[in-house]
């Protein structure tokens, strides 16, 4: 017998109403469940239906002859061919109409079919709602993971997504969820980054924005779980199709260089250790290089003051390694972790002098020994860990010894393809020492104490580590083309101008940039009200909030508010802070100085200035407060860039990003960024602030006053 069998009632009727039966069965209107006040009972086969009329208490017995038919006969009428009433025995005085009986039967059958269909539909809808709910929860979890990983990087993104997928696999694919009083088992594929990317590729093909060949190659990246594709998709998909297509197709360019393995050997990385701009520079550059698809690592000393709470999964490795110093091999502990998607390695020496288990980072008498030990230990670790980086990037004098060490001792140990990049962030700090100290880390003083190598140009009896970094590196960079040009001159070359001249073919200046993930008024989490170029009203609200918070006597927003971020200053720069504060007596302006510093020495000096300068027209905040620094930048109308010795100082760039007029130097890394408001060679739309030509010009109290004062009418003209 066939699997799909319907019970079709075929009835022989002795009475005149077969035609009426067929007619009534063609009525497809929605049945009424209580159309007749009757109760119906039936069974398949030869069935007896009992019709009980509740009103008259009459009872009629009908015998139905039922036959089985295939599903192909299902659509022939309503399934009733004839009705036979053998020997009806109605009670005395009762009359039963065949039309009424058949209509009653047909309506009952329709009701049962309708109820069954509605039940199936309801169960399907309930299942659909549960599936959509589960998918929505999966999508929310994925978006949270992507948002978290956008600052932590592709590696963390993949870990988080895999964790979510594994959890959903357990909860959804092989798991159960309640449906009413039952438990239903369903298999599902939760949404994921790769699935979305695959669907996006489909959409771009259908829109005609990419061709079939390009789509095939992009799907190859999806199949291979290419981290670069994930990074591009996560970053650009919310911007627009054109930007996303450009980013994805760039990954397919056959002329595109292969990814590089880059290892930074340095002494600072924000926010682990951030005393100047070096730490921020290393962090921003590492993140940018990683976003380009490169493998980036950073090797640092493990300072006692280091806070590892910002590091993802910090681990102390069980295995130690040994490094050479002062004729002996010393044990070192290793810590690893992930910071913004960048792998970091911290070296903790087990040396009797406790080189990095101290309160401060710099300014010790044995700094030469401390950082040459670290430079040698970093190279020993690279060899021990069997790393083969393409580039070793070293910074300032503290790790400049890596360059001669590498070529004299390590290039022959499997690192012949590695190249050295040396960045001079600021040449005002050069470390000179006796030549014999070079032997501590394994260098040969006799070979290196020569004028064409490490011998200092001004102090021939000493060696200069910065000069060694310049001579022994494959490429030398600094923070701007202007600063690179300045270093070739006798006036600004800091005694190394002749060395730069000799090696000028490998010397290049790269304009410094700004980390917009941290400094952006449109999404700054520290601001009470964000704002942008399209809507500037939030800046006024920030100004009002700052004036209230610091207790200024006047909340008049038309009075210029002059801000200054003085977190990292030299002693000479601190001396002119009081001169700038005195401007309040000669100008109708209010002043606020966020002078808190992470450097204890600077913090102490700032606290000595505070009592004599604090009044109702100026406020000097000596406690380091990240949120307040952001608010000062956003609220100020004019921002004084007080640091003159640090060429990579980013305050002017931050000021311009927040719509604040910067007053800054025109030399070093700032040249080309801040265009003077009175520069007649530039269009008015290109002028961004006020600049000064030289350090001596700025340090004169008279010109400092004039420089800040002339920005007041410019502020009034622009803002009001």
């Amino acid at each position: 017998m066939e699997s799909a069998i319907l019970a079709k009632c075929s009835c022989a009727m002795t009475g005149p109403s077969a035609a009426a039966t067929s007619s009534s069965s063609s009525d497809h209107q929605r049945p009424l469940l209580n159309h007749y006040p009757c109760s119906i009972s039936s069974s398949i086969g030869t069935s007896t239906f009992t019709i009980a009329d509740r009103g008259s208490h009459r009872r009629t017995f009908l015998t139905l002859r039922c036959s089985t038919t295939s599903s192909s006969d299902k659509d022939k009428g309503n399934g009733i061919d004839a009705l036979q009433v053998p020997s009806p025995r109605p009670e005395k005085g009762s009359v039963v109409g065949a039309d009424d009986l058949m209509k009653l039967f047909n309506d009952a059958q329709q009701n049962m079919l309708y109820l069954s269909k509605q039940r199936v539909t309801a169960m399907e809808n309930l299942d659909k709602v549960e599936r959509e709910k589960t998918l929505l929860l999966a999508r929310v979890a994925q978006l949270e993971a992507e948002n978290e990983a956008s600052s932590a990087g592709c590696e963390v993104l993949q870990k988080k997504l895999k964790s979510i997928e594994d959890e959903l696999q357990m909860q959804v694919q092989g798991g159960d969820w309640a449906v009413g009083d039952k438990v239903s088992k369903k298999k599902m594929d939760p949404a994921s980054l790769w699935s979305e990317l695959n669907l996006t590729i489909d959409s771009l093909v259908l829109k005609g924005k990419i061709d079939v060949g390009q789509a095939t190659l992009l799907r190859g990246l999806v199949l291979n779980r290419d981290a670069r594709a994930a990074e591009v998709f996560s970053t650009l998909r919310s911007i627009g199709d054109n930007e996303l297509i450009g980013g994805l197709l760039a990954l397919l360019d056959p002329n595109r260089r292969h990814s590089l393995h880059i290892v930074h050997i340095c002494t600072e990385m924000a926010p682990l250790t951030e005393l100047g701009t070096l730490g921020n520079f290393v962090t921003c550059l590492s993140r940018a290089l990683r976003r380009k698809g490169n493998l980036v690592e950073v090797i640092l000393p493990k300072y006692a003051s280091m806070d590892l709470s910002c590091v993802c999964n910090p681990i102390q490795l069980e295995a130690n390694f040994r490094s050479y110093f002062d004729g002996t091999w010393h044990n070192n502990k290793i810590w690893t972790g992930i910071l913004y998607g960048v792998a970091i390695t911290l070296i903790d020496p087990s040396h009797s002098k406790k080189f990095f288990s101290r309160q401060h980072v710099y300014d010790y008498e044995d700094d030469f020994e401390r950082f040459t030990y670290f430079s040698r230990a970093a190279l020993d670790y690279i060899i021990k860990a069997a790393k083969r980086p393409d580039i070793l990037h070293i910074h300032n004098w503290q790790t400049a010894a890596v360059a001669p060490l590498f070529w004299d001792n390590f290039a022959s140990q499997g690192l012949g393809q590695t190249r050295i990049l040396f960045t001079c962030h600021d040449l005002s700090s050069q470390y000179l020492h006796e030549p014999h100290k070079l032997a501590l880390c394994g260098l040969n003083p006799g070979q290196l104490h020569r004028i064409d190598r490490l011998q200092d140009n001004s102090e021939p009896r000493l060696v200069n580590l910065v000069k060694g970094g310049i001579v022994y590196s494959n490429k030398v960079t600094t923070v701007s083309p202007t600063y690179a040009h300045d270093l070739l001159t006798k006036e600004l070359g800091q005694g190394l101008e002749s060395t730069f001249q000799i090696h000028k073919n490998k010397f290049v200046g790269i304009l410094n940039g700004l980390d917009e993930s941290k400094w952006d008024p449109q999404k700054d989490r520290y601001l009470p009200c964000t704002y942008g170029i399209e809507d500037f009203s939030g800046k006024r609200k920030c100004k009002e909030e700052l004036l209230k918070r610091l207790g200024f006597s006047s909340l008049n927003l038309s009075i210029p508010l002059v801000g200054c971020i003085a977190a990292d200053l030299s002693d000479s720069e601190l001396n002119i802070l009081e001169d700038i504060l005195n401007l309040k007596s000669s100008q109708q302006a209010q002043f606020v100085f966020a002078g808190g510093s992470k450097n204890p020495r600077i913090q102490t000096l700032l606290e000595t200035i505070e009592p004599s300068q604090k009044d109702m027209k100026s406020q000097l905040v000596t406690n380091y407060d990240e949120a307040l620094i952001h608010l000062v930048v956003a609220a100020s109308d004019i921002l004084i860039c007080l640091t003159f010795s640090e060429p990579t100082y980013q305050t002017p760039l931050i000021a311009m990003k927040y719509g604040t007029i910067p007053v800054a130097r025109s030399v070093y890394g700032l040249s080309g960024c801040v265009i003077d408001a009175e520069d007649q060679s530039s269009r008015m739309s290109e002028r961004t602030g006020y600049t000064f030509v030289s350090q001596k010009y700025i340090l004169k109290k008279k010109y400092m006053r004039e420089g800040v004062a002339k920005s007041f009418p410019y502020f009034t003209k622009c803002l009001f």
Side-chain angles (χ1 to χ4, degrees), residues 430-435 448-451 454-465 467 494-496:
Q430 299 179 39
Y431 206 99
L432 309 183
H433 221 290
E434 292 84 0
L448 297 178
H449 189 214
R450 292 167 39 178
I451 192 61
L454 270 67
Q455 186 180 32
D456 186 66
N457 297 336
S458 304
E459 296 285 344
R461 64 183 184 85
L462 302 177
V463 291
N464 187 329
L465 288 180
K467 181 179 178 180
Q494 305 282 348
L496 290 174

Side-chain angles (χ1 to χ4, degrees), residues 132 197 214 225 244 306 366 549 556:
E132 291 176 350
L197 176 52
Q214 292 170 332
R225 296 295 191 264
L244 177 59
M306 202 173 258
D366 61 347
R549 183 181 300 185
N556 186 354

Side-chain angles (χ1 to χ4, degrees), residues 430-503:
Q430 299 179 39
Y431 206 99
L432 309 183
H433 221 290
E434 292 84 0
H436 72 272
K437 289 285 188 179
L438 294 174
L440 293 173
C441 61
L443 290 172
N444 188 327
Q447 292 182 357
L448 297 178
H449 189 214
R450 292 167 39 178
I451 192 61
D452 60 338
R453 298 185 182 179
L454 270 67
Q455 186 180 32
D456 186 66
N457 297 336
S458 304
E459 296 285 344
R461 64 183 184 85
L462 302 177
V463 291
N464 187 329
L465 288 180
V466 172
K467 181 179 178 180
I470 298 170
V471 172
Y472 278 86
S473 294
N474 299 98
K475 206 74 174 178
V476 181
T477 68
T478 191
V479 295
S480 80
T482 303
Y483 188 42
H485 180 269
D486 290 343
L487 294 179
L488 296 173
T489 65
K490 185 176 180 179
E491 294 76 17
L492 299 172
Q494 305 282 348
L496 290 174
E497 61 277 1
S498 61
T499 303
F500 281 117
Q501 287 286 354
I502 294 171
H503 298 278

Side-chain angles (χ1 to χ4, degrees), residues 249-381:
L249 293 184
L251 301 178
L252 305 178
D253 185 359
N255 297 320
R256 185 176 183 270
R257 61 166 177 78
H258 296 292
S259 298
L260 296 174
H261 183 188
I262 303 165
V263 177
H264 290 272
I265 302 177
C266 53
T267 57
E268 296 182 34
M269 182 181 184
L272 281 174
T273 307
E274 186 180 10
L275 298 178
T277 56
L278 171 61
N280 188 60
F281 176 90
V282 171
T283 300
C284 295
L285 179 59
S286 298
R287 296 177 68 181
L289 290 171
R290 182 192 56 78
R291 286 194 294 268
K292 294 293 185 180
N294 300 291
L295 175 61
V296 185
E297 300 182 58
V298 179
I299 300 178
L300 298 156
K302 186 180 184 302
Y303 303 106
S305 58
M306 202 173 258
D307 182 7
L308 299 183
S309 61
C310 58
V311 178
C312 177
N313 196 27
I315 299 174
Q316 180 181 355
L317 300 184
E318 294 181 1
N320 297 334
F321 83 97
R322 301 177 61 145
S323 63
Y324 177 86
F325 191 77
D326 195 13
T328 307
W329 291 86
H330 301 270
N331 287 326
N332 298 274
K333 299 176 183 177
I334 295 296
W335 294 71
T336 62
I338 303 294
L339 182 60
Y340 299 125
V342 176
I344 62 170
T345 300
L346 307 177
I347 296 178
D348 184 9
S350 299
H351 194 278
S352 59
K353 293 186 177 180
K354 300 186 181 301
F355 285 140
F356 303 111
S357 299
R358 305 179 185 181
Q359 183 178 0
H360 307 307
V361 174
Y362 303 126
D363 298 330
Y364 290 99
E365 291 184 357
D366 61 347
D367 275 357
F368 185 92
E369 289 86 345
R370 295 172 68 224
F371 293 111
T372 52
Y373 179 99
F374 168 68
S375 297
R376 173 66 190 244
L379 289 172
D380 282 327
Y381 172 75

